[in-house]
Amino acid sequence: MAASTTSILTRKPQNVAVETNPSHELNVVQVDTPSPGPTECLVHVTATGICGSDVHFWKDGCIGTSVIDRPVGLGHESAGVVVQTGKECGRVKVGDRVALECGIPCSKPTCEACRTGRYHACPAIIFYSSPPVPGTLRRYHAHPEAWLHVLPDSISDEEGALLEPLSVALAGIERSGLRLGESLVICGAGPIGLVTLLAAHAAGAAPIVITDLEASRLEMAKRLVPRVRTLLVERGRDAKANAELIKQELGREAKLVIECTGAESSIHTGIYASQFGGAVYVIGVGKDFQQIPFMYASFREIDIRFQFRYHETYPKAIMLVSEGLIDLKPLVTHRFTLEQGREAFEAASNPAAKAVKVQLLDG
């Protein structure tokens, strides 16, 4: 195994990364290859997906208080192979294929969030690709061994990279308390919406309605879960009218809505589609400030809650995929090389490309 690892480094010695900057440029650049610290592993990143947040950072220059104020590498949905280990590493070895969990908390016993298992709330957490921390959309990346998850042979590198968006969906499903036979609406059939559909289907939600502006994404939803009910949202149609159509498809009001777009009109639609005492979980990334139908939600005791990343989801995600309960393979619709970073981001951000998940591969 060591010989093949050496040949990989010899064949591709340059470290290449995809980054953006305050001028909203997207550049494929050469960067230094890091030397792993004592508790780190050097990973040859072989698959990285483009997240909607990556596109937001490129196009808008910020997400909330995270602002692109210097050149910053993108990407946090990654898998690869370990090519070097630090002297204190022992759990992961050279040649292991791994998924990278990119939120790295302080893990100090004095940190309440870390001590109580809510490490995604750690105030000192760093998240690769969240400014100013560079992302993992690069050839070689040094990553803490503690946050590498070894992949079984049954999970490909592409699927390993998809464990990150699946983790987002699993966190939302778990926090929402979704139970067998409960009605569900998923707003948005992008990558997060589709992995949420897969997870909710595995959890036994029924019936399920999923919405989107693009017919091609709803067709993908049908291929993934044939029994799902779909609603094509027409641009400019009133949120209340959309909600009525959702309720017709569902055959009832929704007990739970998982909102995966962050768009204000979609959040309104989810609220209007909810039953008395229902809940709307917002996973999508949207504008800093938004209006909501406050008194409608108040009079109907509709809970509006939000999801921020995830914690302790990767082992569960690996188990669900390896056991065949969730099939992530169909989600990757577009593949590019690392050097084709610009083309990959154009495909991910252009509705005409009809992309679901775009990945950059470096085998």
Side-chain angles (χ1 to χ4, degrees):
M1 205 63 176
S4 63
T5 300
T6 301
S7 68
I8 289 172
L9 287 167
T10 302
R11 188 172 70 249
K12 294 187 173 181
Q14 286 87 22
N15 196 9
V16 179
V18 180
E19 67 177 29
T20 190
N21 59 35
S23 299
H24 307 286
E25 296 172 328
L26 196 70
N27 297 310
V28 180
V29 299
Q30 287 194 10
V31 294
D32 293 336
T33 298
S35 296
T39 60
E40 293 180 325
C41 297
L42 184 65
V43 178
H44 174 205
V45 181
T46 55
T48 300
I50 295 177
C51 177
S53 64
D54 294 316
V55 176
H56 273 288
F57 278 131
W58 167 40
K59 295 279 191 179
D60 303 328
C62 67
I63 297 176
T65 57
S66 294
V67 179
I68 301 290
D69 59 1
R70 70 197 73 181
V72 176
L74 298 169
H76 56 267
E77 300 178 4
S78 293
V81 60
V82 174
V83 296
Q84 188 179 349
T85 59
K87 62 182 180 181
E88 295 180 18
C89 295
R91 181 178 61 86
V92 175
K93 64 183 184 298
V94 170
D96 280 346
R97 295 169 48 255
V98 292
L100 286 65
E101 184 169 353
C102 285
I104 314 299
C106 72
S107 299
K108 295 178 180 177
T110 53
C111 175
E112 181 180 2
C114 292
R115 190 175 66 249
T116 57
R118 296 177 298 114
Y119 61 80
H120 64 313
C122 170
I125 196 169
I126 67 165
F127 194 88
Y128 291 110
S129 80
S130 183
V133 183
T136 57
L137 186 44
R138 55 188 55 222
R139 179 164 292 140
Y140 299 114
H141 166 75
H143 201 81
E145 181 195 36
W147 302 100
L148 292 172
H149 301 273
V150 177
L151 297 174
D153 292 340
S154 59
I155 296 181
S156 68
D157 291 4
E158 290 186 11
E159 292 171 284
L162 285 165
L163 295 176
E164 201 280 340
L166 177 56
S167 283
V168 175
L170 291 178
I173 296 273
E174 184 169 332
R175 190 159 177 266
S176 71
L178 178 70
R179 299 198 300 181
L180 195 71
E182 289 187 341
S183 58
L184 172 67
V185 173
I186 301 171
C187 295
I192 294 296
L194 291 174
V195 293
T196 297
L197 171 64
L198 289 169
H201 176 62
I208 305 173
V209 169
I210 190 167
T211 71
D212 204 85
L213 293 165
E214 301 292 334
S216 61
R217 292 192 166 187
L218 295 178
E219 291 166 5
M220 170 67 82
K222 275 285 190 185
R223 290 196 294 273
L224 294 173
V225 179
R227 70 172 179 81
V228 71
R229 306 172 189 185
T230 61
L231 177 67
L232 182 64
V233 176
E234 295 180 7
R235 296 180 189 276
R237 189 162 60 199
D238 177 75
K240 287 184 178 179
N242 283 325
E244 288 303 316
L245 292 172
I246 287 171
K247 288 185 281 188
Q248 289 176 25
E249 286 290 342
L250 200 63
R252 68 201 75 187
E253 294 177 319
K255 181 177 180 62
L256 175 65
V257 175
I258 300 183
E259 207 296 312
C260 299
T261 74
E264 186 173 296
S265 60
S266 183
I267 296 170
H268 292 183
T269 296
I271 292 170
Y272 288 130
S274 297
Q275 69 179 37
F276 189 100
V280 177
Y281 279 76
V282 182
I283 297 178
V285 175
K287 296 184 300 184
D288 280 4
F289 293 92
Q290 300 194 27
Q291 294 182 327
I292 62 168
F294 181 87
M295 290 312 302
Y296 183 89
S298 174
F299 283 178
R300 293 173 64 82
E301 294 187 359
I302 296 169
D303 292 334
I304 303 170
R305 302 180 70 181
F306 297 86
Q307 180 66 42
F308 180 67
R309 295 178 186 157
Y310 44 81
H311 64 98
E312 300 175 285
T313 51
Y314 268 77
K316 183 183 294 186
I318 290 171
M319 181 273 294
L320 289 168
V321 175
S322 64
E323 291 291 325
L325 292 172
I326 291 178
D327 182 9
L328 298 174
K329 296 183 188 73
L331 295 177
V332 182
T333 56
H334 292 62
R335 297 169 177 85
F336 295 85
T337 66
L338 190 54
E339 290 80 4
Q340 293 175 312
R342 295 187 190 89
E343 295 92 330
F345 270 80
E346 290 292 346
S349 61
N350 182 2
K354 299 186 183 303
V356 176
K357 177 57 66 176
V358 176
Q359 284 193 349
L360 292 97
L361 308 177
D362 194 61

